[in-house]
Amino acid sequence: MKKAFILSMALVTALLYSLALAHGAHEHGVAKMNIAIEGAKVEIALESPLVNAISFEHAPTTDAQRAEVRAMAAKLRKPEEIFLLTKAAQCRPVEVSLASENLPPELLGEAAAATESDRHDPDVKSDDKAMTGAHDEHDGHGDLDASFTFACARPEALKSLDVQLFKIWPALHEVEVQLVTPSGQKGAELTSKKHTLAW
C-alpha cells in the first residue's frame, strides 16, 4: 500500500512538473501554481518571478535586501496562513521548501548542503559555476520555486483552497493554477478579487 502511494505521488509530481514546463515564460505580476491532491496529502508547487515577492530579482547585495529575503521566507514558512484549505478537512503543513538560483539558501531558511556538495562535485568545474552565476545575475530575471505539503486528517471534507498570496505580495496580479485531484484535472486563474479555488 505504501509503495503504491509513493508511486502515485511520483506520478503526480511528474505531471505537475510537465504542467509547469507547459506554462511558459517568466512574467512579472504572474505566478504559476500546481496543486495535487492524493489521499490525505495536498502538494502545492509555486513558481513566481522574485519581483512579485521582493523588490529585486538579483542576488541580495545589501543588509536591507537580505532582510527583505528573510522576511519573505518567514511568511512563506507559515503556509497555513497563505493557503487556506477547507477548515473541516483539518489540514496542517508538514513540509516547506524554498529555492531560487539568485538567493542564498540560508536566507530562505534552507540548508546550504546542496550548495556545499556542488562545490565538491568533480563534474562541475569552477569556471562553469562562475559563468553560470554571472549569467544569472546579468540576465535580470530570477524566480522563486516553492513547494508546500499539507496532511489532512479529514481529506473527504477537502473542497476548496483560498489563496492569500495577493495580500502578502502586492505586486502579484494573477496566479495561473493547474489542479489535479482523484476526480480529475482543472485549470483556473486567480486574482486579488477571485482568490478561492473550489472543486
Side-chain angles (χ1 to χ4, degrees), residues 87-198:
K87 200 168 191 173
Q90 300 173 17
C91 301
R92 62 182 178 78
V94 293
E95 189 176 349
V96 175
S97 176
L98 308 175
S100 173
E101 290 182 3
N102 291 9
L103 301 178
E106 58 274 11
L107 290 182
L108 296 171
E110 295 286 325
T115 307
E116 196 61 36
S117 67
D118 286 347
R119 288 189 193 125
H120 301 294
D121 186 344
D123 294 331
V124 181
K125 297 177 185 168
S126 57
D127 290 344
D128 293 341
K129 287 181 205 158
M131 289 177 68
T132 302
H135 173 72
D136 288 343
E137 285 190 32
H138 290 107
D139 71 5
H141 295 294
D143 288 324
L144 174 70
D145 295 308
S147 63
F148 310 90
T149 303
F150 289 82
C152 303
R154 297 187 59 234
E156 68 281 0
L158 197 53
K159 303 291 180 204
S160 66
L161 170 64
D162 186 359
V163 178
Q164 297 292 303
L165 270 177
F166 301 98
K167 288 184 179 177
I168 64 168
W169 292 358
L172 181 65
H173 304 296
E174 180 183 315
V175 177
E176 298 172 359
V177 179
Q178 289 293 323
L179 170 69
V180 179
T181 71
S183 59
Q185 176 184 334
K186 81 184 246 183
E189 288 183 4
L190 303 179
T191 65
S192 61
K193 293 184 178 175
K194 185 185 171 219
H195 45 81
T196 301
L197 181 68

Side-chain angles (χ1 to χ4, degrees), residues 20-32 47-49 141 143 176:
L21 290 178
H23 271 302
H26 176 104
E27 183 180 349
H28 292 186
V30 178
K32 294 162 183 51
E47 181 186 346
S48 172
H141 295 294
D143 288 324
E176 298 172 359

Side-chain angles (χ1 to χ4, degrees), residues 46 72 74-84 148 150 161-166 168:
L46 176 69
M72 172 200 63
K75 287 179 184 175
L76 291 175
R77 291 201 172 276
K78 295 179 183 172
E80 69 279 11
E81 296 176 7
I82 302 168
F83 304 106
L84 308 180
F148 310 90
F150 289 82
L161 170 64
D162 186 359
V163 178
Q164 297 292 303
L165 270 177
F166 301 98
I168 64 168

